[in-house]
Amino acid sequence: MNKLNRTELYEDAKEWILEAGSIIRGKINDPLIINTKSNPNDLVTTMDKETEKYFVNKIKTKYENHLLLSEEGFGDHVKSLDGTVWIIDPIDGTMNFVQQKRNFAISIGIYHEGVGEIGFIYDVMDNILYSAIKGEGAYKNGVKIPPLAKQVEFNKAMIGLNHFWLCENRLVDEKVMQQLVRAVRGTRTYGSAALEFAYVAEGVIDGYLTMRLSPWDIAAGMIIVHEVGGVTTNVVGEDVNMVENNSILVCHPSIQEKIINDYILKGKK
Ligand code: 2AM
Ligand code: CA
């Protein structure tokens, strides 16, 4: 992809994500129709669907050859990252959107021939836009985010973790996860994977560990985090497959090996 295209794509995606966010803010107190998907806690609202349709319409009108991989199914049936693919979550953190009316984000990652080129994460209610173009650094509201600190001491690390690790007992022995919780300085659960990636990029948490995410939860975040020197793999250290679900460990590189070797692999069932 040449520079000119990237700039135009970046500007279009930025304009559309800000406009979509503004529409959501304007309707934040409107009555919602809430449905469930795979389970009673897997929520989708009319706002998720309307926002996704907004992006489908914008993208297909201007970039008819581009593909869309998106959560609510109005995009394309994308099986590979050939060509240019927009990977979009219209609302990441739908439960927060429904119950808190805040702490949710719109996430857009633009991939070209398998490479993540442009990422946006928009914290809609706080009006904070995280963005990155591959190789050009990551930004928060237009201000460059500095590279991650050289070293994070494990016992001073703060990590994002959702509590399914502790109650579902699927991938890893929960006792080992309890040891991890004790070994680090603190844990946080924000409820939006995209925002947790943004917080890793900002260095306000040092890592985020979760059992199962979809491509639209992570596509933008991976691009943004990598621009500041963060690393993303699945929880056993393998490359992420961007057209499948993955477990995810995104973190400062200095704590990656310890989390994988001393906790995940040790506790793996
Ligand atoms: P969502 O709000 O777009 O559904 C919550 O811990 C985070 O995990 C959110 O980013 C949420 O995205 C995502 N999430 C929740 N359930 C999920 C599932 N079954 N598969 C993949 N991601 C999920
Ligand atoms: Ca979503």
Side-chain angles (χ1 to χ4, degrees):
M1 198 188 301
N2 64 39
K3 180 107 166 113
L4 194 69
N5 276 348
R6 286 208 321 185
T7 306
E8 191 176 0
L9 267 178
Y10 178 89
E11 292 300 334
D12 283 337
K14 182 178 169 187
E15 182 187 327
W16 297 339
I17 201 170
L18 291 175
E19 184 173 33
S22 166
I23 295 169
I24 295 173
R25 277 195 303 276
K27 296 183 175 177
I28 195 72
N29 291 315
D30 287 4
L32 280 175
I33 299 169
I34 305 164
N35 289 306
T36 58
K37 295 192 281 186
S38 61
N39 66 65
N41 299 325
D42 188 4
L43 307 178
V44 60
T45 72
T46 39
M47 192 68 84
D48 299 69
K49 292 178 187 169
E50 278 174 25
T51 305
E52 185 166 309
K53 283 185 199 162
Y54 167 93
F55 286 111
V56 172
N57 181 39
K58 291 285 185 193
I59 294 162
K60 292 290 179 183
T61 302
K62 173 139 188 202
Y63 298 104
E64 58 184 18
N65 297 328
H66 290 190
L67 295 172
L68 253 113
L69 172 57
S70 47
E71 178 161 22
E72 309 309 342
F74 302 107
D76 302 292
H77 293 284
V78 173
K79 294 268 174 285
S80 82
L81 291 185
D82 294 346
T84 305
V85 184
W86 296 58
I87 307 180
I88 297 185
D89 194 341
I91 297 184
D92 182 62
T94 299
M95 197 183 288
N96 289 352
F97 170 68
V98 167
Q99 299 209 188
Q100 306 180 325
K101 299 188 193 298
R102 60 184 171 170
N103 301 326
F104 61 89
I106 304 172
S107 175
I108 300 179
I110 305 177
Y111 284 67
H112 182 71
E113 304 299 355
V115 177
E117 296 283 352
I118 295 168
F120 285 100
I121 295 169
Y122 188 32
D123 178 335
V124 172
M125 300 314 287
D126 285 346
N127 191 22
I128 298 173
L129 183 65
Y130 299 90
S131 64
I133 300 178
K134 185 180 184 324
E136 297 184 14
Y139 290 79
K140 178 185 179 186
N141 280 347
V143 177
K144 195 159 194 174
I145 302 173
L148 295 181
K150 284 228 159 7
Q151 198 73 23
V152 170
E153 288 173 56
F154 206 73
N155 62 2
K156 295 203 175 83
M158 179 122 85
I159 60 168
L161 203 61
N162 67 48
H163 300 112
F164 289 114
W165 283 108
L166 303 179
C167 63
E168 262 184 31
N169 199 18
R170 277 193 303 196
L171 272 176
V172 178
D173 187 311
E174 77 272 18
K175 292 214 160 30
V176 176
M177 294 309 293
Q178 288 166 9
Q179 287 165 17
L180 173 63
V181 170
R182 284 195 195 98
V184 295
R185 177 173 266 173
T187 58
R188 294 291 181 272
T189 300
Y190 294 100
S192 157
L195 288 178
E196 308 217 36
F197 269 80
Y199 298 158
V200 172
E202 268 193 279
V204 298
I205 53 175
D206 303 298
Y208 170 54
L209 187 60
T210 188
M211 283 190 297
R212 199 179 85 134
L213 289 177
S214 301
W216 41 82
D217 299 317
I218 61 172
M222 281 182 65
I223 297 167
I224 292 169
V225 159
H226 292 181
E227 283 302 308
V228 294
V231 285
T232 310
T233 60
N234 70 13
V235 299
V236 293
E238 297 163 345
D239 285 346
V240 168
N241 179 339
M242 195 48 80
V243 290
E244 303 279 349
N245 286 341
N246 298 270
S247 64
I248 289 291
L249 170 60
V250 52
C251 62
H252 190 292
S254 64
I255 62 172
Q256 183 190 34
E257 214 176 286
K258 191 169 172 71
I259 291 177
I260 293 172
N261 291 338
D262 293 3
Y263 295 93
I264 304 291
L265 292 178
K266 203 172 141 196
K268 205 159 162 45
K269 303 200 161 186

